[in-house]
Amino acid sequence: MQSIKKVGIFTSGGDAPGMNACIRASVRTALHAGKSVVGVYHGYQGMIDSNFEEMSSRSVSNIIQLGGTILKTARCKAFRTKEGRQQAYDNIKTAGIDGLIAIGGDGTFTGAEIFSREHNIPVVCIPGTIDNDLYGSDFTLGYDTATNTVIEAIDKIRDTAASHDRLFFVEVMGRDSGCIALNAGIAGGAEAILLPEKATAIQDLCSQLEIAAKGNKASTIVIVAEGEKNGGAYNVAKAVKDRFDFYDTKVTILGHLQRGGSPSSFDRVLASRLGFAAVRHLLAGSTRVMVGLWGNEIRTTPLEEALNNKAFKLSEDMLEMVEVLSI
Ligand code: ATP
């Protein structure tokens, strides 16, 4: 095995708070080990376009607290083709990059796995996505910050909902994963939570809301994950309004504000630990693995295993708790 001399670092897919803290940790760990570091801008697209920049320790000064990603990110169609990946490989070879650190979600990991096998280039991945949907890590970068952002919004909506006796439907991110919806819903004291993992009949939701109405609650908040089976917050609100026309119903779609913002202390520490560990593993010869948090330890999981297992298992106990605590 030849030792790696130049590490390429990139962020890809959806941005997530903590990516910058992770870039900082990866860059400085590689520099500390005497390696050169190249930042690849716009994820896989940047490899295809040769959008590279040599990085020093100062390139990552004063970014630990910033949301987004200084390396930018992208969704790149061309990388899904063999020709696109060949172009990317030719460019990184010309730039002298002989090892990669990829920060992103499952799509990024799939691309990394294919690319690494096709061109025999070592790659270590870091779970960076607000969805918290990657097997092999208890938490992904950005999830904690995003959940706290949602809770802050719920608290504010609660103030206005309580003042007007309103029923609010708050839609949060999560096309396939209800992790943000469930945990933000519990922490925000939601009366009901609708998730992609479990179909909720409108009739059952109405029965739950009826209990809340009979309990003389001043406000009711229903958290709706964007991927839930009734088609999102507007559809759910309309179906409920047809049955409960005495309620003044309102819908709030939180949208992209959930992605932004300064990372929480949890995300900054996680980002630092994962960036540090990823580079150490890459330089020690690991490839096609992701680094993740298990309990309080950082462990590696083969990308194949991470991609073929489901991360978030819905706990029926938690759902029952939501119902019990909403009376
Ligand atoms: P998020 O979870 O935040 O959406 P992600 O990493 O899953 O992040 P994707 O858009 O799914 O985001 O993937 C990022 C990029 O990875 C894609 O734009 C594409 O360039 C590459 N990619 C995804 N799937 C493949 C694949 N099957 N083959 C090659 N490249 C892929």
Side-chain angles (χ1 to χ4, degrees), residues 265-283:
S265 63
F266 180 87
D267 274 328
R268 293 184 202 192
V269 174
L270 182 63
S272 303
R273 292 181 74 186
L274 292 179
F276 171 75
V279 171
R280 286 279 170 99
H281 280 290
L282 181 75
L283 299 182

Side-chain angles (χ1 to χ4, degrees), residues 195-261:
L195 305 164
E197 291 86 354
K198 188 181 167 121
T200 306
I202 295 295
Q203 187 50 53
D204 293 343
L205 174 62
C206 288
S207 307
Q208 234 171 302
L209 297 178
E210 213 155 348
I211 295 169
K214 282 188 183 142
N216 280 330
K217 286 203 153 202
S219 63
T220 302
I221 293 183
V222 178
I223 303 298
V224 184
E226 60 183 337
E228 73 79 41
K229 305 288 184 295
N230 294 291
Y234 278 110
N235 285 335
V236 175
K238 190 177 173 310
V240 170
K241 179 80 182 161
D242 290 344
R243 290 178 168 80
F244 284 109
D245 61 350
F246 58 91
Y247 260 129
D248 183 9
T249 54
K250 297 284 174 204
V251 175
T252 300
I253 312 277
L254 294 183
H256 280 81
L257 73 83
Q258 294 163 88
R259 278 195 194 280

Side-chain angles (χ1 to χ4, degrees), residues 12-16 19 44-45 74-81 85 103-112 114-115 128-131 133-134 175 259:
S12 161
D15 61 301
M19 280 184 163
Y44 293 121
Q45 190 63 49
R75 304 200 193 260
C76 172
K77 269 195 186 156
F79 198 77
R80 293 174 184 268
T81 66
R85 292 191 296 273
I103 309 169
D106 58 346
T108 301
F109 288 14
T110 306
I114 295 169
F115 189 56
T129 167
I130 64 167
D131 293 337
D133 60 350
L134 285 166
R175 273 192 303 267
R259 278 195 194 280

Side-chain angles (χ1 to χ4, degrees), residues 36 52 104 306:
S36 301
F52 304 138

Side-chain angles (χ1 to χ4, degrees), residues 22 32 40 58 61 63 83 140 172 186 188-189 212 221 239 244 248 253-254 280 283-284 286 288 312 318:
C22 194
H32 187 267
V40 179
R58 295 291 73 76
S61 292
I63 65 166
E83 298 71 31
T140 57
V172 305
I186 291 169
I221 293 183
F244 284 109
D248 183 9
I253 312 277
L254 294 183
R280 286 279 170 99
L283 299 182
S286 296
R288 292 191 288 280
F312 175 61
M318 294 258 266

